[in-house]
Amino acid sequence: MIELELIPNHVAFICDGNGRWAERRGLPRSFGHKKGAEVVKNLIRQCSDLGIKHLTLYLFSTENWTRSDAEVQYLIQSFSKFLQESRNIWTKQNIRVNHIGIFDKLPDELAEEINKTSNETARCKGLNLNLALNYGGRKAVVQATNAIIADIENKQLKPEEIKEDLISHYMNGKLDIPNPDIIIRTSGEKRLSNFLLWESKDSQMFFPDVLFPDFKEEHLSKIIDDWRN
Ligand code: IPE
Ligand code: IPE
Ligand code: MG
């Protein structure tokens, strides 16, 4: 008899350690980001193959704009390129892509790639891939609060209807992403760094001592095993 193994519904990643990976090799930080992008690619495929329904990747925080101009520019360009190169593959793999975070402040080029990617994958019914780009957990709460206030003002909502579930619904542009079962931060740092502050209420946290560019399929398999047990 085949035993069906329990699979987490939502896995979220704080992809950390790219810079250190490069610096330890005497390379510019951008090399770490490049290697990190390959890991992201493999991770998405692995989660899709495993039948995980939601994968959220924290790739750029609202705090990350304070990095050097060169690093910020490199990251923005590589996100754009990554989306451009991947969206056909994702459509074929039935992967739907959503953006979470502050969309308005993204550079035009990246905003355009995000729009194209989410439009082209909108009908996909497999893995939901949430890309946290210019994401901040506190800003997400502020955005949800403003959306609630707007709906109260235009009479779509009554103040007495504000409950935890309603706030959850207003988070992240009403995407109704379920709370993550698992949050993984690579690189050994044990911080949330403003990630999914509202949604992490019951999440199990894992802090593998591996830099993101070194994160392999077996690391995720081991974490899922631990979570299951
Ligand atoms: C994660 O790696 C990528 C981003 C935050 C964009 P880091 O760039 O934070 O790598 P470390 O923490 O400096 O090693
Ligand atoms: C958190 O990593 C954000 C992302 C991985 C996108 P950082 O490396 O930016 O966070 P801190 O500054 O170490 O908390
Ligand atoms: Mg870091």
Side-chain angles (χ1 to χ4, degrees):
M1 194 178 90
I2 301 167
E3 214 178 297
L4 285 176
E5 289 201 294
L6 191 64
I7 288 292
N9 185 42
H10 182 182
V11 176
F13 267 86
I14 302 171
C15 307
D16 195 22
N18 292 351
R20 273 164 285 170
W21 185 91
E23 280 160 10
R24 281 178 198 173
R25 286 164 177 77
L27 297 167
R29 292 175 60 85
S30 60
F31 281 65
H33 296 313
K34 192 159 192 264
K35 189 85 194 334
E38 286 169 33
V39 174
V40 164
K41 223 177 264 180
N42 293 333
L43 203 54
I44 294 169
R45 195 193 25 79
Q46 184 185 3
C47 289
S48 165
D49 290 350
L50 284 170
I52 290 169
K53 276 306 291 179
H54 302 267
L55 171 65
T56 301
L57 301 175
Y58 196 15
L59 300 172
F60 194 91
S61 73
T62 47
E63 287 71 35
N64 287 148
W65 298 105
T66 59
R67 295 192 178 193
S68 75
D69 287 352
E71 184 169 358
V72 169
Q73 232 193 19
Y74 179 88
L75 283 165
I76 297 298
Q77 276 174 7
S78 63
F79 297 142
S80 303
K81 194 166 142 247
F82 182 65
L83 292 174
Q84 204 175 33
E85 287 172 357
S86 309
R87 56 176 168 263
N88 278 338
I89 306 166
W90 291 336
T91 312
K92 285 192 193 108
Q93 291 175 341
N94 209 18
I95 295 171
R96 178 179 173 171
V97 181
N98 299 305
H99 169 261
I100 62 168
I102 315 250
F103 187 78
D104 297 348
K105 300 261 165 66
L106 287 171
D108 291 346
E109 176 203 2
L110 178 56
E112 206 173 296
E113 294 300 337
I114 291 174
N115 273 338
K116 275 191 193 160
T117 310
S118 53
N119 289 339
E120 283 178 28
T121 61
R123 282 197 192 83
C124 294
K125 294 274 187 292
L127 175 73
N128 283 291
L129 171 62
N130 308 305
L131 301 176
L133 291 165
N134 195 22
Y135 176 88
R138 286 194 163 202
K139 290 256 161 45
V141 172
V142 172
Q143 278 188 320
T145 306
N146 283 325
I148 289 171
I149 291 169
D151 279 355
I152 290 174
E153 280 175 354
N154 64 34
K155 308 262 186 269
Q156 302 214 5
L157 193 66
K158 299 192 191 84
E160 56 271 27
E161 288 178 283
I162 300 175
K163 306 261 155 54
E164 287 192 19
D165 284 350
L166 181 114
I167 294 176
S168 294
H169 171 62
Y170 274 81
M171 294 299 291
N172 307 309
K174 296 188 181 167
L175 283 170
D176 287 319
I177 303 166
N179 292 338
D181 303 288
I182 296 178
I183 296 178
I184 301 166
R185 182 175 187 147
T186 55
S187 89
E189 301 294 336
K190 298 182 180 68
R191 288 190 293 285
L192 263 181
S193 297
N194 207 8
F195 189 45
L196 301 180
L197 300 181
W198 175 264
E199 298 85 347
S200 57
K201 173 178 163 275
D202 297 316
S203 307
Q204 196 167 332
M205 318 271 298
F206 292 87
F207 301 101
D209 207 0
V210 49
L211 300 173
F212 189 69
D214 290 326
F215 193 86
K216 306 247 161 14
E217 222 170 278
E218 64 243 36
H219 293 113
L220 180 60
S221 305
K222 163 97 176 45
I223 286 169
I224 294 176
D225 271 348
D226 290 352
W227 168 81
R228 221 177 252 139
N229 296 328

